Amino acid sequence: KHWYQRRVRGLLPHAYSPTMTRKRRNHGRSKKGRGHVRFIRCTNCGRACPKDKSVWKFVTRSMVEAAAVKDLEEASVYGRSYTVPKLYVKLQYCISCAIHGKVLRNRSRK
C-alpha cells in the first residue's frame, strides 16, 4: 500500500484524498494537450502570466479624440477625404488586474 492509502490513527485525516479538489474543470487555463505555454507580461502590473490563462482585450481607438477631429479637418490640406488612422492595441491582463479593472467579473455559483 502507498502512504496515502494507509490509515494510521492520528496521523492522517479520516477521509484523506490523494488528489486535491479543483475549482474549475480546465484549472482556469485553455491549455488542454500542450505541456508548456509561454508566459506573457501583464499590461497593467508586469506580472508573468501564462498566455492561455491571461485575459486579453483588443482595443480599437481613434488617434484623435472626437472633439479635435473637426479642427483637424479644417486645418488639413486634404479636407474631408483624409480619414484619421486608428490605433489598435492588444491588452493582456493577469487575472488579478482583469478583475480589479472590471474587464472580468466574478461568476456566481449556481
Side-chain angles (χ1 to χ4, degrees):
K1 286 188 172 185
H2 292 284
W3 63 270
Y4 54 81
Q5 290 174 330
R6 281 188 216 125
R7 283 182 37 199
V8 181
R9 189 180 301 195
L11 294 178
L12 294 175
H14 175 66
Y16 180 74
S17 173
T19 57
M20 289 179 65
T21 57
R22 62 182 186 191
K23 195 171 183 180
R24 290 177 187 85
R25 186 177 169 193
N26 62 356
H27 301 286
R29 301 178 70 156
S30 62
K31 188 165 64 89
K32 299 304 175 204
R34 290 177 279 280
H36 182 77
V37 178
R38 71 181 181 86
F39 280 75
I40 56 106
R41 289 290 179 169
C42 175
T43 308
N44 196 32
C45 68
R47 170 188 267 166
C49 175
K51 190 180 179 205
D52 62 326
K53 193 171 191 174
S54 66
V55 178
W56 56 273
K57 187 167 95 172
F58 200 77
V59 178
T60 308
R61 277 189 233 138
S62 179
M63 282 190 173
V64 184
E65 60 249 9
V69 171
K70 189 177 176 186
D71 296 333
L72 272 174
E73 285 176 355
E74 290 172 1
S76 175
V77 178
Y78 301 107
R80 289 192 176 274
S81 63
Y82 180 73
T83 55
V84 180
K86 293 188 185 246
L87 191 68
Y88 299 99
V89 184
K90 185 178 182 182
L91 302 171
Q92 294 177 311
Y93 297 104
C94 64
I95 300 295
S96 304
C97 290
I99 292 169
H100 183 73
K102 295 177 183 170
V103 177
L104 187 72
R105 299 224 183 261
N106 195 359
R107 283 164 279 176
S108 61
R109 293 183 185 181
K110 288 185 179 182

